Amino acid sequence: MVANSGSLRWMGEMAAGLAEAGLLERYFTTLDCAPELERRLARLPEPLGSLAAGQARLRRLPAAIDGGRASRVAMPSYLALTALHRAVSSPGVVHSASSVHQDLFDRGTARRLSAGTGGVIAPSKSARRTLARAARLGVPGVLDYPIAHHAIVDALMAEEARRVPEFADTIQYLAASARTRDLLEAEIDGADRVLLLSSFSRQTFVDAGVPAEKLEVIPLGVDLEMFSPAPRDPSSVFRVLFAGQISQRKGISYLLDGFRRAELPDAELVFLGRPVGPTTAWISQPRVVHRPAVAIYDLREHYVDCDVYVLPSLAEGFPQTAIIAMACGLPVIVSEHTFGEDVVTDGVDGYVVPIRDADAIADRLRRLADDPALRLRMGEAARGTAARFTWENYRSRIAGFGRQLIGR
């Protein structure tokens, strides 16, 4: 089989799972992070050198994949896109640049497919040409789709912009362009199977009319060695953490309202990540702290400095920021439009709340703030839950899916 990573880091784990099962033929990626490449990138002029070397560290080639099976595709455009992400917060500009890179990656991987390939897995927005080429070759094609169905997301975001207009400019790609919608529809139609990350995502595809038998849910994993609990002084400031892209798609206005309504004395709400659009609607609110985005290997120190993680998203797939929080021993409050149904046992290792429900968020925050023993019990349970979602388990499930796809 052939696995294409595009800009999705977890597809390296996917390729590793296929390789461990003896199923991987080729792995196409924007950056395969061989040691010699990492050294060369570090010699680039600053700040590009540090930025490129950091990306290389994030994308070191999995040990299961020998270098002979990995090929870089569209690497220069990926590095340029990464630099643009750091410099520009405008969703429109970033979206346009992302589209160019994704098209270059799709063209490059499609050209490299050949007859005799067992199957191909390609990431959404970078898969139309690849899947079409696979179909012409008679090769099974799989689309990896990391979030809810775009039609459902578009409807939710349009409604959200009307409900909370002061946060509308923080919604990433408020409505997909006709070109993007056509691209995604063509990819879904052209795929033999669609890989999804949660039951919620699967339901949105069914609601959008995609045949259920075409859909496969395989949740992501978490590195339990990189992310682990640390003792927290119960007398410390009660800190509520949100991590990820700071956007109304993630429900940030409801988190802000819930935090305010909870009326917690001496508490802080920490936003860790890169803002989407303007920050004026949230950054100056009382007891709100913004910490800039950090690389994944620097996340743990921020997580263990907090008491609870909250993600009231309106549309997600499998939020890695939330499973990282659980691995770090934090109880989580997540919306029903995340992986809540699949991962969280309400009241045991976290809470699952309806979308757009600031009162529910406030109630759960008060419970946790008022009862340090409850926080500890739920945090320990959260760590135990995270242990069921290892990358080893993910790779094993991907291998099983690959065998089924090609009839082995």
Side-chain angles (χ1 to χ4, degrees):
M1 293 188 67
V2 172
N4 303 339
S5 78
S7 58
L8 302 178
R9 281 199 308 272
W10 67 76
M11 292 197 76
E13 296 288 347
M14 176 186 292
L18 295 172
E20 289 167 356
L23 301 174
L24 184 70
E25 299 164 41
R26 298 291 298 168
Y27 174 48
F28 297 122
T29 179
T30 51
L31 204 57
D32 67 19
C33 312
E36 70 278 3
L37 174 62
E38 192 171 341
R39 288 191 292 270
R40 290 205 307 271
L41 291 173
R43 292 195 292 268
L44 292 171
E46 292 297 338
L48 187 58
S50 297
L51 177 63
Q55 287 296 312
R57 180 180 174 186
L58 288 172
R59 294 178 177 276
R60 286 175 179 158
L61 193 66
I65 306 172
D66 64 76
R69 283 183 289 178
S71 298
R72 301 176 197 130
V73 178
M75 185 176 75
S77 68
Y78 173 72
L79 292 175
L81 179 62
T82 301
L84 186 68
H85 264 288
R86 298 292 182 93
V88 176
S89 63
S90 168
V93 172
V94 173
H95 174 64
S96 296
S98 296
S99 297
V100 171
H101 165 68
Q102 289 158 347
D103 185 61
L104 289 170
F105 185 84
D106 188 20
R107 288 174 184 272
T109 55
R111 284 197 302 269
R112 289 165 171 81
L113 289 184
S114 59
T117 297
V120 61
I121 305 176
S124 67
K125 298 185 180 178
S126 300
R128 178 167 55 184
R129 290 181 174 84
T130 301
L131 293 174
R133 170 76 171 158
R136 290 194 296 273
L137 294 171
V139 171
V142 180
L143 177 66
D144 188 84
Y145 204 105
I147 194 171
H149 191 282
H150 58 277
I152 307 302
V153 175
D154 282 355
L156 281 166
M157 295 306 101
E159 181 183 3
E160 196 59 29
R162 294 191 296 270
R163 289 172 63 101
V164 193
E166 60 271 31
F167 281 82
D169 287 342
T170 76
I171 299 176
Q172 190 177 30
Y173 323 140
L174 178 56
S177 67
R179 180 179 178 182
T180 299
R181 288 195 301 271
D182 290 346
L183 168 65
L184 293 170
E185 291 291 346
E187 290 178 339
I188 294 168
D189 290 344
D192 296 296
R193 302 290 295 276
V194 181
L195 271 178
L196 301 168
L197 302 179
S198 68
S199 296
F200 165 69
S201 290
R202 182 182 186 278
Q203 188 58 51
T204 65
F205 272 71
V206 172
D207 292 343
V210 180
E213 60 272 16
K214 190 171 183 173
L215 310 174
E216 182 80 16
V217 175
I218 300 182
L220 300 179
V222 64
D223 187 329
L224 296 175
E225 293 184 2
M226 182 181 291
F227 300 108
S228 60
R232 177 110 168 98
D233 185 349
S235 65
S236 301
V237 171
F238 182 78
R239 288 196 179 92
V240 180
L241 175 65
F242 169 97
Q245 288 188 331
I246 305 170
S247 163
Q248 187 62 1
R249 180 174 70 79
K250 307 279 188 175
I252 60 172
S253 77
Y254 304 103
L255 173 53
L256 288 159
D257 287 347
F259 179 73
R260 186 186 70 252
R261 295 178 194 182
E263 298 181 324
L264 306 174
D266 302 319
E268 288 181 354
L269 172 56
V270 177
F271 283 99
L272 172 63
R274 186 171 297 111
V276 174
T279 62
T280 51
W282 58 269
I283 202 164
S284 60
Q285 293 201 23
R287 293 180 293 146
V288 170
V289 176
H290 177 229
R291 299 179 185 176
V294 298
I296 190 170
Y297 42 77
D298 292 325
L299 279 176
R300 179 180 177 271
E301 63 184 270
H302 294 275
Y303 276 80
V304 299
D305 189 40
C306 296
D307 297 280
V308 57
Y309 176 86
V310 186
L311 183 66
S313 282
L314 303 175
E316 283 288 349
F318 188 97
Q320 289 187 287
T321 54
I323 199 68
I324 286 172
M326 298 179 81
C328 289
L330 271 65
V332 298
I333 303 171
V334 297
S335 80
E336 59 195 357
H337 284 193
T338 62
F339 61 26
E341 177 184 339
D342 305 319
V343 177
V344 177
T345 302
D346 191 65
V348 175
D349 47 17
Y351 296 105
V352 182
V353 298
I355 62 168
R356 301 177 173 136
D357 195 336
D359 287 332
I361 295 170
D363 173 74
R364 276 49 165 198
L365 287 177
R366 282 192 294 267
R367 293 186 203 181
L368 292 166
D370 292 343
D371 192 341
L374 174 65
R375 295 201 303 270
L376 181 60
R377 288 197 305 273
M378 292 185 77
E380 290 173 346
R383 172 70 180 182
T385 297
R388 304 202 315 267
F389 293 89
T390 62
W391 285 120
E392 289 80 7
N393 288 342
Y394 173 78
R395 294 196 297 269
S396 176
R397 292 189 63 174
I398 284 292
F401 172 75
R403 292 189 189 97
Q404 175 203 44
L405 185 72
I406 61 177
R408 283 198 190 176

